[in-house]
Amino acid sequence: MSSVLFFLAAIGVITGATGVVVLRNPFYSVLALVIHLVSLAVLFLLLRAEFVAAVQVVVYAGAVMVLYVFVVAYVGGESDSIGERLRSRGAVGSGLRLGGAILGGAVCVELLIALLGTGLEAINGYGAGYSPGPQAYGTPAYIGKLLLTRFLLAFEVASFLLLIAAVGGVVLARRRGGLEDEDERDLLTPLEMLRPRGTGTMAEGVGRRSP
Amino acid sequence: MSIAWYLAVSAIVFSLGAIGVMTRRNPLVVLLCLELMLNGANLALIAFSRMWGNGDGQILAIVVMTVAACEVCIGLGMIVAIYRRHLPIDVDELRELQG
């Protein structure tokens, strides 16, 4: 049962990851990443990391992906032009992409050799013993106890990092003054305030507007 | 399934993310592929944590998730700022830090 679930979830994880890399439209890439994250949460559950699986679904597949979808919808419409530019790059662009893929494949082979070719006996086992219970390995109580005792410093530093990131996100994405186009700006100079509206403009010159 | 299978999946996911970072040119998709790489690392951390039977790896995975959320926040903020300035949303054409 658990091995069937493992293979289903692993197929979902790898298919979702491939979809993120391959799909041309960024919106579809985000949706493929959601599939990847939910399948990854199933793998975490199989590894008895219940709290991390719940955090993965709630924080990643919930909050972060909604942020991505909003930004893709805001920025969007660039996928076609980028794809056409990629094709117009011709031989150099496709050669670079092929080179990147070959390099990534080499990284994969190297990682597999490094992880599976080690002399560690334990990676062929099923992990340490596990006994269910309210304080068992991986439950929220267990993680909370660890976070607030042994890893208190990491917890505080992470919360500070979140604060800095929130402030930085607001600062980066805010609307700056002076960046709007000329017609969006409705600030009047003192000279414009003194004379009647529409005088001294090109519209008056051609007789469209008379004072 | 033995721990080795989980490690193999994590290696594959990590290298798929690396391929995406190297080949895609839309910064949004590059950020998504960075998420893939972090998730591969997270899977390996949790598999090793299960192997040893203590929770340190899970705490580290939660910290990695926090860092990933911060990175997404800053990265998407930068993409929105780039879009507001009418610069091309393409990592090959954004060569200068001072737009």
Side-chain angles (χ1 to χ4, degrees), chain B residues 58-94:
Chain B
Q58 295 194 9
I59 302 288
L60 191 47
I62 290 174
V63 172
V64 169
M65 274 183 202
T66 314
V67 172
C70 295
E71 168 236 317
V72 166
C73 177
I74 300 295
L76 292 181
M78 283 173 70
I79 290 173
V80 169
I82 289 168
Y83 181 73
R84 287 245 174 89
R85 285 171 176 260
H86 305 292
L87 294 172
I89 308 220
D90 185 330
V91 288
D92 275 2
E93 304 200 3
L94 293 168

Side-chain angles (χ1 to χ4, degrees), chain A residues 5 26 34 84 107 168:
Chain A
L5 207 55
V34 171
E84 278 173 18
V107 167

Side-chain angles (χ1 to χ4, degrees), chain A residues 46-48 121-131 137, chain B residues 1-7 46-54:
Chain A
L46 284 174
L47 285 169
R48 308 227 181 256
E121 303 270 317
I123 65 166
N124 292 319
Y126 294 88
Y130 175 80
S131 57
Y137 167 81
Chain B
M1 304 303 297
S2 66
I3 302 295
W5 285 91
Y6 293 95
L7 294 179
I46 288 181
F48 281 126
S49 167
R50 173 88 184 96
M51 187 173 103
W52 292 109
N54 72 2

